[in-house]
Amino acid sequence: ACEDKLYFAMQYIAWLHDANWPTTRNDFFFEVPWGFRNRVANRARRQVHDALRGQGMGRRTLQDVIALGTQVIDDLEVALGDSLYFFGSEKPTIADVAIYAQLNHILYVDIPFNPLGDHLKTKATLVAFVDTITARYFPAIHENRAAAAMRKKQTLLK
């Protein structure tokens, strides 16, 4: 479900939704010289659109994409249950790594319109799953996120 639905749903939202396009364009193409940036970025966006149409996700409406993505997140929540890792294992398996990669991206990607991220944030066990793996195996990322959250909080309090 992650590879054939959740990944492509997030690509659709990040690359094809107009509210997210300026952020996605700037994140991916900031090093392209200014005179070429929009041309190169727009061509890449068309290629992503064509690839998503060929895969099938690009033929869906935005509402269908969101519904499909939220259903996968709901299914993952049920599958994880109260376990630390999927399938009740005591340490991460290859399945946990694949699921972590998708959920981590959805949870922390910085785009203005992220309905899958908003939905995922309501799933405490999945958020804990992502944060546990990040803290255990990627401590620098975990520390950077904590510091960024503190800075954001301080900025909002001003």
Side-chain angles (χ1 to χ4, degrees), residues 63-102:
Q63 292 75 22
D64 288 345
V65 170
I66 294 168
L68 187 68
T70 56
Q71 183 60 56
V72 172
I73 291 168
D74 291 345
D75 292 345
L76 288 171
E77 178 187 35
V78 171
L80 181 61
D82 293 332
S83 299
L84 187 57
Y85 301 112
F86 285 89
F87 309 113
S89 65
E90 304 218 358
K91 58 184 182 176
T93 64
I94 192 70
D96 292 292
V97 172
I99 294 167
Y100 165 80
Q102 297 303 315

Side-chain angles (χ1 to χ4, degrees), residues 17-94:
H17 193 278
D18 289 337
N20 293 332
W21 175 238
T23 302
T24 301
R25 180 190 60 224
N26 293 339
D27 287 350
F28 278 87
F29 302 101
F30 70 94
E31 291 186 356
V32 176
W34 179 252
F36 299 101
R37 185 174 305 155
N38 283 336
R39 190 176 346 190
V40 170
N42 289 333
R43 184 174 185 169
R45 188 181 193 200
R46 278 191 305 277
Q47 290 173 339
V48 169
H49 176 264
D50 292 347
L52 286 172
R53 281 193 59 77
Q55 184 273 339
M57 193 65 69
R59 291 178 287 210
R60 297 177 180 271
T61 66
L62 176 62
Q63 292 75 22
D64 288 345
V65 170
I66 294 168
L68 187 68
T70 56
Q71 183 60 56
V72 172
I73 291 168
D74 291 345
D75 292 345
L76 288 171
E77 178 187 35
V78 171
L80 181 61
D82 293 332
S83 299
L84 187 57
Y85 301 112
F86 285 89
F87 309 113
S89 65
E90 304 218 358
K91 58 184 182 176
T93 64
I94 192 70

Side-chain angles (χ1 to χ4, degrees), residues 6-23:
L6 204 52
Y7 171 81
F8 292 109
M10 199 59 207
Q11 295 307 303
Y12 182 110
I13 291 168
W15 282 80
L16 302 184
H17 193 278
D18 289 337
N20 293 332
W21 175 238
T23 302

